[in-house]
Amino acid sequence: MDMRDTIVYAIGDVHGCHDELRALEQKIEVDAQQFRGRKIIIMLGDYIDRGPHSRRVVDHLMAPPPRGFQRVCLVGNHEVALLLYLDGHLSRETWLGYGGRETLFSYGVDPDRLISLYGSSAEADARIREAIPASHVDFLRTLPAMVCSDQFVFVHAGIRPGVALEAQDEGDLLNIREEFFEAAHQLDRWVVHGHTIVDVPTLDGRRLDIDTGAFQTGRLTALRIVGKYGRLLSSRD
């Protein structure tokens, strides 16, 4: 991605927090009025699970971005977990424990009631799959795992040290923690990511984690990048 003459706003893990996402976007729109040039919102993944409004978040991200902006949505490990369940590669119990219960409620499905009606049968899984619109599933399947420029990497969880960007494994991009954190001072680009909840985003070497646990704290965080300068914005100041 060419970031010349571009203002980037990276947004951390949303996890079903639709109201916080709308509030943060409104702040971004006001903040961006002071700048000329291309304006891009980069969503860092994990739009569903845990919070109350996964369906509304996906609807919102499928709709056009705020006026004057482009928007890139990256995939997170929670989107992949949903797709694995829908494709029969992850058990219902595992997915529900991962945060899928709240996602199903947002689609109007009470999983406990379904399971009491049908037992742990394929019928219950079929009803769950019917409840999630095909357009949402198709959208989630199209999401890239990483966006890069000459100086920056935007990714859900991080990157594996010592591996070229084009050779990174998607499992690492969506799930890595310790090995990435330990090499933060050896990175050759600035890495902006989420996945691991922090109280306050703080630069660690050349990485910045902006997942402030919106579903727990009510604080969804964005990082604005203009040239080599960054500034944090919050849905709740």
Side-chain angles (χ1 to χ4, degrees):
M1 182 178 76
D2 186 352
M3 284 180 58
R4 286 174 299 180
D5 301 317
T6 301
I7 299 90
V8 172
Y9 292 87
I11 296 181
D13 302 33
V14 178
H15 278 306
C17 296
H18 176 263
D19 294 346
E20 288 81 359
L21 176 57
R22 293 299 304 272
L24 184 55
E25 280 189 349
Q26 288 169 6
K27 290 189 175 182
I28 287 171
E29 288 183 81
V30 172
D31 182 78
Q33 289 174 5
Q34 62 188 298
F35 300 107
R36 295 176 135 184
R38 185 172 63 150
K39 297 165 185 176
I40 300 179
I41 293 172
I42 300 179
M43 307 293 303
L44 296 180
D46 278 6
Y47 313 119
I48 62 170
D49 297 348
R50 296 180 174 167
H53 299 301
S54 292
R55 178 174 189 153
R56 289 172 68 188
V57 170
V58 176
D59 274 332
H60 181 74
L61 295 176
M62 290 174 65
R67 189 175 210 164
F69 285 81
Q70 299 173 39
R71 180 164 56 210
V72 176
C73 295
L74 302 180
V75 71
N77 59 303
H78 282 258
E79 286 76 51
V80 169
L82 168 59
L83 295 174
L84 287 172
Y85 164 68
L86 295 176
D87 292 340
H89 302 305
L90 189 69
S91 73
R92 183 198 318 122
E93 293 77 13
T94 301
W95 179 59
L96 291 179
Y98 213 50
R101 186 176 303 277
E102 292 83 1
T103 293
L104 283 185
F105 278 127
S106 79
Y107 284 97
V109 174
D110 181 341
D112 295 329
R113 184 168 180 278
L114 256 191
I115 292 162
S116 70
L117 284 172
Y118 299 107
S120 58
S121 66
E123 183 68 24
D125 288 325
R127 295 300 172 109
I128 289 172
R129 291 182 179 110
E130 287 171 5
I132 301 177
S135 60
H136 284 203
V137 177
D138 291 344
F139 169 71
L140 297 179
R141 288 194 195 281
T142 67
L143 303 179
M146 179 171 55
V147 172
C148 309
S149 74
D150 290 341
Q151 291 184 294
F152 291 91
V153 175
F154 301 91
V155 66
H156 178 61
I159 58 175
R160 183 162 292 279
V163 176
L165 292 177
E166 61 272 15
Q168 292 282 328
D169 180 79
E170 185 172 284
D172 286 333
L173 300 178
L174 304 187
N175 295 286
I176 198 167
R177 285 195 168 101
E178 281 73 22
E179 301 96 325
F180 170 55
F181 299 163
E182 289 166 3
H185 291 267
Q186 299 158 26
L187 300 169
D188 61 1
R189 302 189 204 200
W190 302 100
V191 180
V192 182
H193 67 99
H195 186 58
T196 300
I197 296 174
V198 294
D199 289 332
V200 179
T202 306
L203 199 60
D204 175 23
R206 296 194 114 198
R207 74 173 186 94
L208 183 65
D209 181 350
I210 61 170
D211 177 8
T212 46
F215 71 98
Q216 293 175 330
T217 65
R219 284 187 294 111
L220 182 63
T221 295
L223 171 68
R224 179 241 282 160
I225 300 171
V226 181
K228 61 182 180 179
Y229 298 101
R231 183 198 164 202
L232 294 168
L233 292 85
S234 173
S235 61
R236 194 183 74 193
D237 289 330

